[in-house]
Amino acid sequence: MAGFRSLARQVRDPRWSPTQRRTYLRRCLERFAPYGHRATWDHLCARAGFAPQDREPDPARLLSALAELEEARAVWLAYEREFAARRKEEKFSGIRQPGALDDWHRRTWGGNGVAWCDDPLTHPSDRLADVLRRIITAIDAGAGRACPVCAQERLLWRDRLNHYPGAGPVCAHCGIVVPLPVLTGAAVAAARGELLAAAG
């Protein structure tokens, strides 16, 4: 099974047709898709300027989408290296019990679903790397009341998400499922309150 870098080389290879290069770009999302496969694809297409269903996009646009994806992947891999080093130090110091952040991070290892968007058409419009930097900053800063990506405080609790865990706070503005470790208990309770108000 080809890895991300091998697939990226094939996206760049002018010997392949635009259709084949598009397929290799889609396969890159099997290795790294911060919003989930469909939402990340929709985001990259919108930012690079080609339609998601376009079977023969301009190769220059494919390369633009790939460059954005690679930049975001580099940001996330750097964070994962720092995370692994921190956990190693904690274990050396006798802290073996993983916390909530560790549990969330284990589920997003490799960068898939870091900023899961349950609706593939609703996702942040900023560069993927910028979105990931904001999430990493929020993780380092501790719990807050707002979405770490767009700073909006209106979070809606959603059940039956197409992702693990099956429920969580979704930003009403940018559509990401906000990682629980970056939210205060009050923010989570407020999101649950929105669910109760909608049901009542």
Side-chain angles (χ1 to χ4, degrees):
M1 190 186 269
F4 183 94
R5 286 182 295 181
S6 173
L7 291 167
R9 280 194 298 272
Q10 291 169 315
V11 175
R12 287 193 184 87
D13 192 337
R15 292 174 297 178
W16 296 109
S17 71
T19 301
Q20 290 169 311
R21 293 167 77 177
R22 174 192 183 273
T23 298
Y24 289 126
L25 180 60
R26 293 266 338 221
R27 288 187 59 203
C28 285
L29 301 184
E30 295 169 10
R31 308 293 180 271
F32 180 71
Y35 301 156
H37 191 283
R38 292 175 59 207
T40 304
W41 178 249
D42 190 78
H43 168 86
L44 291 174
C45 292
R47 298 244 339 143
F50 62 94
Q53 66 276 11
D54 185 350
R55 297 292 176 191
E56 293 189 26
D58 179 349
R61 295 183 187 277
L62 289 172
L63 293 178
S64 174
L66 177 63
E68 179 170 349
L69 189 64
E70 287 181 314
E71 178 190 15
R73 184 171 179 266
V75 168
W76 188 250
L77 291 178
Y79 170 71
E80 285 191 336
R81 285 190 296 273
E82 292 172 11
F83 178 88
R86 178 182 63 82
R87 281 298 294 142
K88 186 175 181 181
E89 287 178 15
E90 287 175 349
K91 288 178 181 178
F92 184 76
S93 300
I95 304 171
R96 300 226 172 246
Q97 186 64 33
L101 176 59
D102 301 306
D103 184 50
W104 171 80
H105 191 272
R106 206 171 18 257
R107 292 194 313 269
T108 59
W109 191 260
N112 287 309
V114 171
W116 180 263
C117 297
D118 214 50
D119 177 353
L121 301 180
T122 305
H123 46 74
S125 58
D126 294 335
R127 290 184 68 77
L128 283 171
D130 293 337
V131 168
L132 294 182
R133 285 185 190 102
R134 287 180 203 144
I135 290 174
I136 291 166
T137 298
I139 288 168
D140 292 339
R145 295 191 55 85
C147 171
V149 173
C150 67
Q152 297 295 312
E153 291 192 9
R154 185 155 184 251
L155 306 176
L156 307 171
W157 192 267
R158 295 280 189 247
D159 292 319
R160 295 186 294 278
L161 296 172
N162 295 314
H163 191 251
Y164 182 84
V170 176
C171 177
H173 181 257
C174 72
I176 74 159
V177 178
V178 180
L180 287 175
V182 305
L183 295 174
T184 63
V188 173
R192 286 182 181 276
E194 292 273 0
L195 172 66
L196 295 175

